[in-house]
Amino acid sequence: MRGLMMDLPLRISSILDYAADYHSEAAMVSCTADQPEHRITYAGLRDRVRQLANALQSDLKLAIGDRIATLAWNDHRHFELYYGIAGIGAVCHTINPRLFPDQIAYIINHAEDRYLFADPMFLPLIERLAPQLNAVEGIFLLTDDVHLPPSELGVRSYERLIAGQPASYDWPVFDETTACGLCYTSGTTGLPKGALYHHRSTVLHALATSLPDAMGLSSRDTVLPVVPMFHVNAWGLPYSCPLVGARMVMPGPKLDGASLYEQFERERVTFAAGVPTIWFGLLEHMRSTGKKLSTLERAVIGGSAAPLSMIQTFELEYGVQVLHGWGMTEMSPVGSVCSLDAAKACLPVERRHRIKQKQGHAIWGVEFKIVNELGERLPHDGRSAGVLYVRGPWIASAYFRDEEASREAFDAEGWFSTGDVATIDPYGTMQITDRAKDMIRSGGEWISSIALENAAVGHPGLAEAAVIAATHPKWGERPLLIAVRRPGSTVEPGALLEFLSTRVAKWWLPDDVVFVDELPHTATGKIQKSALRDRFRNHRLPTV
Ligand code: AMP
């Protein structure tokens, strides 16, 4: 028997309508090259989004399912594109400008993007790529005519496109499984693969991530998404913030420690989210200037493991509560958040911080299983480590136009293989031990590179650390620690190994330590292990 409830499809446009109707005065502050401190309310944003929707439909003749690419930072115009494109039933394809140019050309062609909307600073990149872009019919730069840089490509300004369009528009009603967003994985090995989100998955993800034991967002918050809108939709914040009426501070390209600190204080930010590399920059800035944060309450750390030392510094020195989150492009992206329930919140501070080092419990809607090499389920005993599989309404069911990758990524029951190795304890707290391909196999036993890296960056003389497998004649593989010293530090390998020896098992200790000036990072700010493996392929470990 069918229930007797209204059958209204979940649509992204409903989120902005709600914010504009019920939080109309909540503002968004953006930093762009042409407007360094632009302010607008949700009601104002809805007017501009409707103007954009009219332009996309009447001038550019876009239809349901068409893909439109963006190469842009976090600002109000990029936000408007999210809603305008999805609102008419088209697909907003966010592209990470830090990818290699050939990868950018590949994904624009693979997606067959009809138009490209880009920050003016990316014009030189676009001019270089233009001859390779097959399906792109036009390029719009996110600025006005006054600031439009000259180009032989015939670029037009975003402001001119929407100017004069009516600020009224009736959002079309379509099935809630209509595609709305497209994001490609960074593809450190092989070609990038596309995750194609739909309205239903996006709305449900926004709802679930706002819950108190996930990100706990509300209309009392001022949120600064440090994570870019091209990194899996800024972890859903452009949807969850208007959904709850939170104020938003959009930093544009200003992501260095000093700029972030200035924005946090000026705008009285209460909540922020970003990858550890970004937080290292902010913490280093505050350490060197002696500044404190006066309003920030919660910081989500995700994208890579949050080191214990970072959790301790945020919570003990700056009074900022850390929320360690885990997810993937294919998961919209949030799968788990490490928030503490009543019992855990009463534990002594040291134990609380050790729990927060873990990636946490699945948020509602996401299911976890860990399996061994034979695909058999492993117990949730906190010790058995296996490949983590996930299932849920905002997890990809296939890759966009990639049957081979789609076949490989799912098991017979339809679960998605994350490629991460994890343990789950009896309370359901999940801990990532490593990417399967980053683990170090020493004499038949596994060593977690993440655990070693996290312990190493706890040393006050280190800025960053990576651990990779080096070939060993007896053990097969042994850990090699590659580290970057903090300015002024003279720490030597011996002292570092001694520091580690009280923090990890003896047989885990790296066989060698190499200091470098900087570590390579991926387009999303993670340490690029593949580049390190290439560079240190022939590294000879000491024989004693
Ligand atoms: P991406 O799709 O680029 O966001 O990358 C997803 C991958 O990042 C995951 O499969 C993990 O390997 C890694 N990752 C994300 N968050 C965390 C975390 N909190 N701790 C450890 N690894 C993480």
Side-chain angles (χ1 to χ4, degrees), residues 478-497:
R478 289 293 302 158
L480 167 66
L481 172 62
I482 304 160
V484 181
R485 289 191 183 96
R486 291 212 11 233
S489 155
T490 54
V491 62
E492 289 297 333
L496 207 51
L497 292 176

Side-chain angles (χ1 to χ4, degrees), residues 82 94 96 183 227-236 275 302-303 329 333 523-526:
Y82 265 43
T94 52
N96 186 337
C183 184
V227 51
M229 290 171 74
F230 53 74
H231 185 187
V232 216
N233 299 329
W235 302 348
V275 295
T329 306
T524 48
K526 302 174 198 208

Side-chain angles (χ1 to χ4, degrees), residues 12-219:
I12 286 171
S13 52
S14 70
I15 296 179
L16 184 58
D17 276 341
Y18 179 80
D21 288 341
Y22 295 101
H23 299 283
S24 61
E25 290 310 308
M28 175 181 289
V29 189
S30 298
C31 173
T32 64
D34 57 354
Q35 290 165 307
E37 211 180 296
H38 176 271
R39 288 172 196 272
I40 188 167
T41 60
Y42 280 127
L45 281 165
R46 176 168 63 181
D47 285 348
R48 283 172 56 85
V49 168
R50 286 170 169 168
Q51 287 181 286
L52 172 64
N54 279 311
L56 295 176
Q57 219 158 37
S58 57
D59 290 10
L60 305 189
K61 310 281 181 245
L62 290 174
I64 285 195
D66 283 342
R67 274 82 58 206
I68 294 95
T70 64
L71 261 175
W73 299 106
N74 294 8
D75 60 37
H76 62 289
R77 294 187 182 111
H78 202 179
F79 177 95
E80 289 158 16
L81 285 161
Y82 265 43
Y83 282 89
I85 294 169
I88 66 164
V91 180
C92 181
H93 173 197
T94 52
I95 301 175
N96 186 337
R98 299 182 189 130
L99 291 173
F100 292 118
D102 280 352
Q103 278 184 323
I104 296 180
Y106 167 81
I107 63 177
I108 291 178
N109 288 334
H110 186 264
E112 293 186 272
D113 294 321
R114 284 190 58 190
Y115 286 91
L116 172 59
F117 287 79
D119 191 283
M121 90 159 50
F122 300 124
L123 183 58
L125 169 69
I126 297 166
E127 285 176 333
R128 216 160 8 119
L129 297 178
Q132 299 176 59
L133 305 182
N134 307 330
V136 173
E137 295 164 40
I139 295 161
F140 291 89
L141 296 187
L142 299 178
T143 187
D144 54 24
D145 279 358
V146 178
H147 296 89
L148 194 66
S151 168
E152 290 184 359
L153 288 181
V155 293
R156 287 170 276 171
S157 85
Y158 174 85
E159 292 298 333
R160 168 60 71 90
L161 173 71
I162 68 170
Q165 293 287 350
S168 57
Y169 182 87
D170 287 330
W171 298 115
V173 179
F174 36 69
D175 191 278
E176 63 183 13
T177 57
T178 303
C180 62
L182 178 61
C183 184
Y184 282 71
T185 61
S186 33
T188 42
T189 52
L191 290 169
K193 296 174 290 227
L196 186 63
Y197 313 113
H198 54 46
H199 284 254
R200 174 186 155 81
S201 66
T202 307
V203 173
L204 289 176
H205 178 266
L207 268 172
T209 51
S210 309
L211 287 172
D213 275 329
M215 297 197 193
L217 295 169
S218 82
S219 57

Side-chain angles (χ1 to χ4, degrees), residues 184-187 231-232 235 276 301-306 324-331 333 336 357-359 416 418-421 430 432-438 450 454 522 524 526:
Y184 282 71
T185 61
S186 33
H231 185 187
V232 216
W235 302 348
I301 306 178
S304 302
H324 189 184
W326 167 88
M328 301 183 78
T329 306
E330 293 88 335
M331 301 178 67
S336 70
Q357 248 193 308
K358 302 183 180 190
Q359 282 70 12
F416 172 73
T418 64
D420 286 334
V421 176
M430 184 272 287
I432 302 281
T433 34
D434 231 329
R435 282 299 287 167
K437 60 182 186 309
D438 293 340
I450 290 186
N454 284 350
T522 67
T524 48
K526 302 174 198 208

Side-chain angles (χ1 to χ4, degrees), residues 163-345:
Q165 293 287 350
S168 57
Y169 182 87
D170 287 330
W171 298 115
V173 179
F174 36 69
D175 191 278
E176 63 183 13
T177 57
T178 303
C180 62
L182 178 61
C183 184
Y184 282 71
T185 61
S186 33
T188 42
T189 52
L191 290 169
K193 296 174 290 227
L196 186 63
Y197 313 113
H198 54 46
H199 284 254
R200 174 186 155 81
S201 66
T202 307
V203 173
L204 289 176
H205 178 266
L207 268 172
T209 51
S210 309
L211 287 172
D213 275 329
M215 297 197 193
L217 295 169
S218 82
S219 57
R220 268 91 52 211
D221 278 315
T222 294
V223 175
L224 191 148
V226 190
V227 51
M229 290 171 74
F230 53 74
H231 185 187
V232 216
N233 299 329
W235 302 348
L237 290 167
Y239 304 112
S240 46
C241 288
L243 184 91
V244 300
R247 223 177 133 240
M248 295 190 80
V249 181
M250 302 294 237
K254 292 191 150 187
L255 303 178
D256 60 286
S259 304
L260 284 178
Y261 180 82
E262 191 270 324
Q263 296 176 80
F264 281 144
E265 288 301 294
R266 189 190 67 212
E267 299 301 334
R268 304 188 59 74
V269 170
T270 59
F271 180 101
V275 295
T277 317
I278 285 289
W279 295 129
F280 274 126
L282 177 75
L283 293 176
E284 192 57 46
H285 171 75
M286 293 196 292
R287 202 175 281 142
S288 61
T289 55
K291 290 180 172 158
K292 296 277 181 196
L293 290 161
S294 56
T295 59
L296 190 65
E297 293 165 9
R298 281 119 62 223
V300 175
I301 306 178
S304 302
L308 180 62
S309 55
M310 182 175 281
I311 297 169
Q312 289 168 331
T313 308
F314 262 125
E315 299 213 343
L316 301 179
E317 285 182 40
Y318 298 104
V320 176
Q321 186 197 336
V322 167
L323 293 169
H324 189 184
W326 167 88
M328 301 183 78
T329 306
E330 293 88 335
M331 301 178 67
S332 299
V334 182
S336 70
V337 178
C338 195
S339 59
L340 305 181
D341 61 20
K344 293 195 187 105

